Amino acid sequence: RNEWKFAEQCARKYGFELKKIGAPDGEKVLSAIDNLAAQGAQGFVICTPNVKLGPSIVAKAKANNMKVFSVDDEFIGADGKPMTDVPYMGISAREIGRTVGKALYDEFKRRGWDINETAACGITYDELDTARERTEGAIEALVAAGFPREKIYKSAERTTDVPGANDAGNIVLTQHPKVKKWLVFSMNDEGVLGAVRAMEQMNIPAENIIGIGIGGSSSVVEFEKPKPTGFYATVLISPKRHGYETTEYLYKWIKDGVKPPMRTLTKGILITRQTYKKIMKEQGLL
């Protein structure tokens, strides 16, 4: 919805019509492309519901003489490799993970915690490439900064939501009852929130938890609570670039023949309870 909102801003600026279509599966995607072509559209930006649809989407676009720009999830070709001949804008998952890991270590040092009573809890979901890249990036940055790898405990969640992470977090806490202070990371805000809730249920005080999420969508409610919780920060993924810039690139490609960059990876912005209002306003999210 946010990406659509920023795409609409771009359409208003340049004076073209923007069609917004939700297409949750392959069949709807392919019929939507035909539908757009019938209405005279010359191109489209798509977040595909399935990356393996890439070849079909490209073939359908070519048949209708339309330009295509993929956003968020990169098309995968028949050979199982990314389709590098389609312009793509996505997030640099490992870089965002590294931002989390570095921020966790910096806050750990700032608080002057004793490493002997501190450990890190990583809620993982390795089935999804982008999720694995994020959590591995966080581990990479923690270790590079000097945090002992053997004190980073991973726990796989069955579902990528708060209940799934709560269950995974409970496993770590049960296995390591002597740890007093925790650093928490995951693939998204919900992963961190679930682990933080598990820690609260074990009566670990908020000041003994540093949880840093990814996304930003669930952080506002947490930051607005009157008393700070263990959810310390999140890395905000900006829909502004993914909505506005991709639409602008497509428009200029169609109108002026200016081909967009083939691969653009965006980074996140660290926001905390103190900074979230200012930064989210700047990003057009508040």
Side-chain angles (χ1 to χ4, degrees):
R1 284 195 302 272
N2 280 325
E3 289 184 12
W4 275 348
K5 181 176 83 173
F6 293 117
E8 194 66 68
Q9 286 179 9
C10 182
R12 283 199 298 272
K13 177 183 173 181
Y14 290 102
F16 60 85
E17 187 184 355
L18 180 77
K19 298 278 184 187
K20 294 174 283 194
I21 303 173
D25 59 50
E27 194 179 325
K28 286 188 173 65
V29 165
L30 299 177
S31 67
I33 296 170
D34 283 335
N35 190 1
L36 281 170
Q39 293 178 67
Q42 293 166 269
F44 57 94
V45 178
I46 182 168
C47 174
T48 178
N50 184 336
V51 293
K52 291 178 182 175
L53 285 170
S56 302
I57 292 168
V58 171
K60 182 68 79 171
K62 279 181 179 168
N64 286 298
N65 198 26
M66 295 169 84
K67 291 177 168 46
V68 54
F69 196 123
S70 67
V71 67
D72 295 346
D73 294 303
E74 193 168 16
F75 291 168
I76 299 297
D79 59 358
K81 293 176 182 172
M83 293 179 69
T84 54
D85 55 340
V86 179
Y88 165 68
M89 182 181 284
I91 60 165
S92 177
R94 189 164 285 256
E95 201 53 50
I96 282 171
R98 287 192 193 110
T99 301
V100 170
K102 184 180 183 306
L104 281 169
Y105 190 82
D106 289 347
E107 185 61 17
F108 155 74
K109 291 299 281 185
R110 192 188 71 78
R111 296 188 189 188
W113 285 1
D114 181 352
I115 190 62
N116 293 312
E117 53 184 33
T118 305
C121 169
I123 305 299
T124 63
Y125 191 78
D126 287 351
E127 292 91 330
L128 204 61
D129 280 350
T130 184
R132 188 179 66 253
E133 285 285 304
R134 292 178 192 189
T135 48
E136 288 301 314
I139 293 167
E140 201 175 90
L142 274 169
V143 172
F147 198 85
R149 187 181 284 272
E150 66 275 11
K151 299 203 84 176
I152 301 172
Y153 306 124
K154 297 197 297 181
S155 184
E157 57 184 346
R158 284 201 181 96
T159 53
T160 60
D161 52 16
V162 174
N166 190 285
D167 291 343
N170 274 321
I171 292 167
V172 171
L173 295 173
T174 304
Q175 289 171 342
H176 306 282
K178 290 181 180 175
V179 177
K180 293 180 181 174
K181 296 181 167 76
W182 286 99
L183 311 183
V184 188
F185 61 93
S186 185
M187 66 163 285
N188 57 13
D189 288 340
E190 289 74 16
V192 172
L193 283 168
V196 167
R197 295 289 99 91
M199 289 167 187
E200 290 168 351
Q201 288 149 14
M202 293 276 197
N203 297 316
I204 297 169
E207 58 269 22
N208 283 9
I209 307 166
I210 305 167
I212 301 183
I214 293 174
S217 56
S218 304
S219 64
V220 176
V221 174
E222 202 71 6
F223 290 150
E224 286 182 348
K225 288 181 178 176
K227 197 176 172 192
T229 71
F231 188 90
Y232 169 72
T234 187
V235 177
L236 182 68
I237 295 171
S238 170
K240 190 172 186 176
R241 292 192 65 188
H242 290 223
Y244 190 99
E245 281 187 31
T246 54
T247 310
E248 185 177 48
Y249 278 136
L250 182 70
Y251 172 73
K252 290 182 175 178
W253 190 12
I254 291 166
K255 182 176 176 289
D256 305 322
V258 179
K259 197 162 185 184
M262 295 308 286
R263 189 175 173 86
T264 308
L265 295 178
T266 62
K267 296 179 183 178
I269 308 164
L270 188 76
I271 58 172
T272 65
R273 191 181 176 91
Q274 287 71 41
T275 64
Y276 83 95
K277 282 184 181 171
K278 177 179 179 289
I279 293 171
M280 288 181 96
K281 275 178 187 166
E282 289 168 358
Q283 292 294 314
L285 297 169
L286 278 182

